[in-house]
Each structure stands twice: as structure tokens, then as C-alpha cells.
Amino acid sequence: MAESSEGLGTVPEHERILQEIESTDTACVGPTLRSVYDDQPNAHKKFMEKLDACIRNHDKEIEKMCNFHHQGFVDAITELLKVRTDAEKLKVQVTDTNRRFQDAGKEVIVHTEDIIRCRIQQRNITTVVEKLQLCLPVLEMYSKLKEQMSAKRYYSALKTMEQLENVYFPWVSQYRFCQLMIENLPKLREDIKEISMSDLKDFLESIRKHSDKIGETAMKQAQHQKTFSVSLQKQNKMKFGKNMYINHDRIPEERNETVLKHSLEEEDENEEEGDEETFENYYRKQRKKQARLVLQPQSNMGYGFPVNRLFDLLFEIRDQYNETLLKKWAGVFRDIFEEDNYSPIPIVNEEEYKIVISKFPFQDPDLEKQSFPKKFPMSQSVPHIYIQVKEFIYASLKFSESLHRSSTEIDDMLRKSTNLLLTRTLSSCLLNLIRKPHIGLTELVQIIINTTHLEQACKYLEDFITNITNISQETVHTTRLYGLSTFKDARHAAEGEIYTKLNQKIDEFVQLADYDWTMSEPDGRASGYLMDLINFLRSIFQVFTHLPGKVAQTACMSACQHLSTSLMQMLLDSELKQISMGAVQQFNLDVIQCELFASSEPVPGFQGDTLQLAFIDLRQLLDLFMVWDWSTYLADYGQPASKYLRVNPNTALTLLEKMKDTSKKNNIFAQFRKNDRDKQKLIETVVKQLRSLVNGMSQHT
């Protein structure tokens, strides 16, 4: 009984040990097995018997499981054997397909290599064409120079040389033929100088030979002057003006005084001063000798006639001459403006920088510190205009200096004629340019920048006149140049045109709006036309950063106000009869984008939410309809602290009536739904209250 009870107590313990062996990690098996040997003496034998019984049970379970899944394993093997044949067929097909692909690809590779070779040849041809296009104008101009030299059109030849040196040679300076041309130009200039000196000597000799006939003709004309008709006087003045050296395009074949005057103008800026002085001194010296010979009275003749009327005539001719010059320079200015690209002048090296500085007095330490390539802020027309104003001063001086007036009077004449050029001719050309339809916003911005630099250059023109006449600007009676007012007026006109064109662009975008005013739900994003408009405004305001701050701010504020007004007019358009709540919500999304644009500070300098206030009328109106807060609006109307202070009752009434019509149309069976009936009644009630409010306002007015 003792063994039986002992065995019964041991079996549950053995089952627990077996469960621990089956369920725990192998690292913990040792302590568990040790507990078998630590118990009763026969516990090990009984545990082994129990373990054998457990193993047999597990074997039976395994056998049952294998028998259960054996048929499935057999079926799987059978399927694999079937697939093996298909797999071999597929392998053959894949191998064959790969071979055919490789064969077809060989031809494609050949064609591809041919295309690559063609593309390389095409690129090389394009490069050659571009280089030839750069060289052809230079060769054509040099050929034109040779033709002018052969035709003895020396003044035109000098101008062609100047164009070659300043414009064309810098393009192709790296080519050898250009270096040969550059080396040949000084010799051509020297040849022209020698020929001009020879012509001058022949001209002076001709004057000396025919002085008797010239004097006789002059006396006869003076004798009959009083009997000339007014029309004949004008005709003679025009003929006389035409004979003056006002045509810089060619030298007349007749040997007259124009040969001298052209020869003095036909040199470069550096060589011109020395050569002009040589010609002028020689001319003056020879003419003085001739004058002494002519003025020596012969035995049968003394002169003694008053010449005041002759000088009066010369002054009249001078005025006519100045008018002719102004007309000519008006055409010159127009051509300069037509040829300008209205982009900052690019420079890639020090040589180009010095060329521009030599033509126009520009000083900017910041620009000098920048590395190449860099850009001048003004466009190409600025140095050209500056050079032409100096040319005009030279042309005006050529006539004035022969009137035997004092330096002070000549200085006054030059300044007055230059003022006429600036305030009348150049100003008129600028205003006409600004109003041309093809001048866009970018061009107008560049014109404003150009006028700023031209205005700053006026002091250098005053110094230029001072150096010519040796009359100090501090003299009491010295006339100042009116460049400040001229370019200021042009800038104001350009700024006004910017505001106008910017609003026109906004109108063009707004006309693209295509709202579905009866939509039931909004699209969930802003309209495409409005995002395009905002992107355009962002890009154009980036260009405006070069403008003075107030101009850019005014343009930005004007654009936002115009856009707000246009959107408001779109809502209140009389042709728009119905507006749904979904359309109002879509419209609200667009206005939100406008407000985000205003808050992003597209132009720096605005304080707080100043720019956003441009859309405040729209915002309060849309908030009123989005929240449907009519009780607050009607209760607070007219009070300074009203939440909807900027909402006009008439505007609200107009929009609400359009929504009322839409509500009626879309709710044919509204009488069957209580919510729709309540909403319709609310709209009708608010409409009545707004009408009474509007009528009260009109009666009060």
C-alpha cells in the first residue's frame, strides 16, 4: 500500500516534469531532470517508463499526421512533374525570344549610332553657322568701308570705322582676320587726314581765286534784299540752311566750306581733338591772311558799310539752323529708342567695361567691385543718347562760334539750344516711346531706370559746355540745363503707364474667369485663372524691385485695389441673375488666395496689413454670406465698431436677391422640406429688411 500510494504521488509529478521538458527552453532542462533523481529511489525507473509512454503517444500522433497529409504530398509531387515539362518549354521559348531580341537590337544600335553621328554633325554645322553669322556683319561692314574709300565718301568711311571698332570688332576679336583689319584702320585714317588737308588747301585756294566774284555777288544780293518777297526770303533761308553742314551722312562733291567742317568732325573722339585743332589752326591762319589781303582797300575802293542787319540775319539763320538740328536729332533719338532692347548692358570683361565708361559717365563703386560678367543698370540707349547730346552741342557750336560773339554769349546760346533739345525734342520722343503699344511693363521699368541715369548725367553735360566755352557755372547769368524737369516728367508718365498697363493685364486675366454660378459645391481649390494672375503679379513685382520704393508700392497697391474692384463688379454684374451658395464658397476661395498674396509682401515697405485692406470690402461681404450673420449686420449697421462696417446694404441686397432666385429655382419641392422652407423665409425676411434699410438711406439722402 505504501508503494501504491508512493507511485500515485509520483505520477502527477512526472507529468509536470514532462510538460516542463516539452514547453521550456533546453537551457532549463538540466535542473528539471535533476529533480527526478533527487526524489524517491525508484522515481528514475518510473519516470523512464512514463517518458517511453509519452514518446509512443507522440509517435502515434506523428503517424496520424503524416497519414493525413500524405495524399496532399503525393498530389504536389505529381503537379511538379507536370509543370516540369511546361517549364522546359518556357525555357526554350525565353531563350528563343532573347535571341530574337538580340538580333533585332543590333540593327537598332546601328541606327542609333548613325543618329548620334548626324546629331554631332548637325551641332557642328549650327556652331559654324553661328560663328559665320557673327563674322558676316564684320566682313560686310569692312567691305562697305572699302567701297566708301573708293567712292571718296570719307566721312561715311570714318563713321563705318567707328562702328567697326566699337560694335563689330569686339564680337570677333579672337580671329586673325579681325586683327589684320584693326591694324589697317590707323593707316586708312591717316590717308583720310591727308586727303582732307589737301581738299582744305584746294578749298582755300578756290576761295582766294574767286573772292572778287563772291564779293560782287554778295553786294548785288544786299542791294536787292529790300525788294525780296516774304516767300522768297523763306526759300533763300531754306536753301542757305540746306547748304550748311547738317548732313552727316555724306560729303558734297563741291569744294565748299562744308568739306572743312566735315573733316573736323570725322575723327574718333581721341584723335579728333588733335586733328581738329590742326585743321582749325591751319584754316584760321590761312583765312586771316586772306582777310588781311581782302580788307586792304584798293586805290579806287574803301568799305565802311554797317553790318548790324547782316548779323541780325545771321541770328535768324542760327535759329532756323537750330530748328533744323532739333528735327534731325528727333529722328536720331527715335532710331536709338527703336534699336534699344531695354535690358541692362551686359559686360564680360574689363575691356567692355571701359568702352561703356568712355561713352557715358557712370560711377558705382559696388558695380566696380563685382566680378565679371556683370551688368550696367541702364540699357544701351543711355550712352547713345548722351553721345548724341554732345554731338548736338558740337553742331550748335560750329555755327555759333562764327558769329564773333563773346564766350559768355556763346555759352548762353549753347545752353539754351541744349535745353530746347532736352525739354522739347528728347522729352517728346520719350513721351511718344512710353505711349507706344509694344512697350510693356518690363520696358517701362527700364525706361524709368534710364531716365534716372540720364538725369544724373546732366551735370556732366554742363561741365562739357563749360570746358568748351571756359565760362564757369558759378557765373550769375549762366543758364542751367533743365534735365531734372525733363526726365522727371518722363518718369511720371512712365509710372502712370505702368499702372495703366498693369490694370489692363489684370483685366485680361479676369476676363478668363469661368465660374459656374449655380454649382452646388465648390471645387476645393482656387480657380486657375486667379492662380495664373497671382503668379504673373509675383514675377512682375520681382522686376519692380529695381524701381524706386514708392513707385513699386503704389503699383502693387493699385493692382490689388483694381483686382478687388474687378472681383466685386463680377459679383454684382447685372447680367448675372443667379448665384448659388457653392459659387459663393468657390469665390471665397479665390479671395483667400488674393489675401494670401497681399500678406506675402510681394513688394517690401508696406506697414502691417496695409496691402490686405485692398480686399477688406470683399472679405466682409463674403464673411457675411458665409457665416449668414444677418442679425449682427442689421443690428450693428451704421456703428463705427460694426463687424461688417464696409458692407454696403445695397451691395448685400443685390447679392442676396441673386441667391434668393437660385434658392427658388433649385428647390421646386421646398414646401415639402421644413429646413428649406425656413431658409427661404429667412432670406425673404432679410431681403425685406435690407430693402427698408436701403429705402431709408435714399430718403435720408
Side-chain angles (χ1 to χ4, degrees), residues 433-445 447 493-509 536-537 540 544 558-559 562:
L433 172 69
I434 290 168
R435 297 189 181 100
K436 286 188 175 181
H438 70 276
I439 297 296
L441 291 170
T442 306
E443 288 80 4
L444 289 171
V445 171
I447 289 172
E495 290 166 9
E497 198 67 20
I498 283 178
Y499 306 148
T500 301
K501 288 187 179 293
L502 192 56
N503 290 343
Q504 289 175 353
K505 276 290 184 183
I506 292 174
D507 291 339
E508 291 176 5
F509 278 100
F536 164 75
L537 292 177
I540 201 64
F544 284 6
S558 173
H562 186 75

Side-chain angles (χ1 to χ4, degrees), residues 305-315 405:
F305 291 103
V307 293
N308 292 334
R309 296 183 63 185
L310 177 61
F311 278 111
D312 292 340
L313 176 62
L314 288 177
F315 287 142
R405 291 294 177 177

Side-chain angles (χ1 to χ4, degrees), residues 301-455:
M301 181 178 178
Y303 290 103
F305 291 103
V307 293
N308 292 334
R309 296 183 63 185
L310 177 61
F311 278 111
D312 292 340
L313 176 62
L314 288 177
F315 287 142
E316 276 190 43
I317 294 174
R318 181 204 66 190
D319 295 337
Q320 293 293 328
Y321 175 68
N322 281 337
E323 289 295 326
T324 304
L325 288 181
L326 291 174
K327 291 179 181 178
K328 178 186 176 183
W329 257 261
V332 172
F333 290 151
R334 284 194 296 268
D335 293 341
I336 291 175
F337 290 140
E338 287 294 331
E339 296 172 0
D340 195 7
N341 59 2
Y342 299 99
S343 300
I345 303 175
I347 45 176
V348 297
N349 52 41
E350 186 70 24
E351 184 179 356
E352 292 185 2
Y353 183 84
K354 290 180 179 179
I355 290 175
V356 177
I357 292 296
S358 66
K359 295 180 181 179
F360 183 76
F362 180 83
Q363 295 179 354
D364 188 352
D366 295 334
L367 183 63
E368 292 178 1
K369 295 176 183 178
Q370 296 178 12
S371 59
F372 293 99
K374 51 189 175 182
K375 293 181 180 180
F376 283 98
M378 65 278 188
S379 66
Q380 194 64 47
S381 64
V382 173
H384 289 168
I385 291 292
Y386 182 79
I387 291 173
Q388 287 302 323
V389 173
K390 291 173 66 175
E391 290 290 331
F392 175 86
I393 295 173
Y394 273 129
S396 180
L397 175 65
K398 294 301 179 185
F399 190 90
S400 300
E401 67 183 358
S402 302
L403 298 179
H404 305 288
R405 291 294 177 177
S406 65
S407 298
T408 304
E409 291 176 313
I410 292 177
D411 182 89
D412 188 61
M413 292 177 188
L414 288 180
R415 292 177 184 273
K416 286 182 178 178
S417 60
T418 305
N419 275 331
L420 281 176
L421 179 72
L422 294 177
T423 59
R424 195 172 74 184
T425 305
L426 182 55
S427 177
S428 176
C429 291
L430 277 171
L431 293 177
N432 291 334
L433 172 69
I434 290 168
R435 297 189 181 100
K436 286 188 175 181
H438 70 276
I439 297 296
L441 291 170
T442 306
E443 288 80 4
L444 289 171
V445 171
Q446 188 62 54
I447 289 172
I448 292 177
I449 297 172
N450 289 351
T451 55
T452 302
H453 290 286
L454 286 172
E455 179 183 328

Side-chain angles (χ1 to χ4, degrees), residues 176-269:
R176 185 178 177 186
F177 77 88
C178 179
Q179 298 298 327
L180 295 175
M181 292 179 181
I182 293 174
E183 294 172 359
N184 196 30
L185 290 187
K187 182 179 180 301
L188 293 177
R189 279 201 174 90
E190 192 62 30
D191 293 343
I192 292 175
K193 181 179 178 181
E194 293 177 0
I195 294 171
S196 299
M197 181 59 76
S198 175
D199 288 346
L200 175 59
K201 292 178 180 178
D202 294 343
F203 168 69
L204 292 173
E205 183 179 353
S206 175
I207 290 179
R208 181 70 185 93
K209 288 180 180 179
H210 300 91
S211 59
D212 295 341
K213 294 182 179 179
I214 293 173
E216 181 181 356
T217 303
M219 295 301 290
K220 287 181 180 179
Q221 290 180 353
Q223 181 180 359
H224 296 288
Q225 181 178 3
K226 292 184 179 180
T227 61
F228 287 165
S229 63
V230 177
S231 61
L232 187 57
Q233 287 179 2
K234 292 182 179 179
Q235 183 179 359
N236 287 338
K237 290 178 183 179
M238 292 176 61
K239 289 181 179 180
F240 187 81
K242 289 181 180 179
N243 290 330
M244 300 302 293
Y245 73 101
I246 60 174
N247 187 356
H248 292 277
D249 295 330
R250 64 182 182 87
I251 297 179
E253 295 182 358
E254 297 83 359
R255 293 179 177 176
N256 52 28
E257 194 168 359
T258 309
V259 177
L260 168 67
K261 296 184 181 297
H262 283 311
S263 67
L264 294 177
E265 294 182 351
E266 290 174 350
E267 305 294 339
D268 318 275
E269 292 187 1

Side-chain angles (χ1 to χ4, degrees), residues 18 75 104 106 141 152 158 174 251 272 311 378 390 475 509 534 552 558 596 686:
L18 288 174
D75 294 340
K106 291 179 181 178
M141 288 297 291
K152 298 182 179 181
L158 286 172
Q174 69 272 25
I251 297 179
E272 183 179 0
F311 278 111
M378 65 278 188
K390 291 173 66 175
T475 305
F509 278 100
I534 290 176
S558 173
L596 290 174
V686 174

Side-chain angles (χ1 to χ4, degrees), residues 655-672:
L655 186 57
L656 190 61
E657 287 180 335
K658 294 180 180 182
M659 294 186 68
K660 173 185 174 183
D661 293 340
T662 305
S663 179
K664 287 182 178 180
K665 179 179 179 182
N666 294 336
N667 295 281
I668 302 175
F669 303 101
Q671 63 273 17
F672 300 109

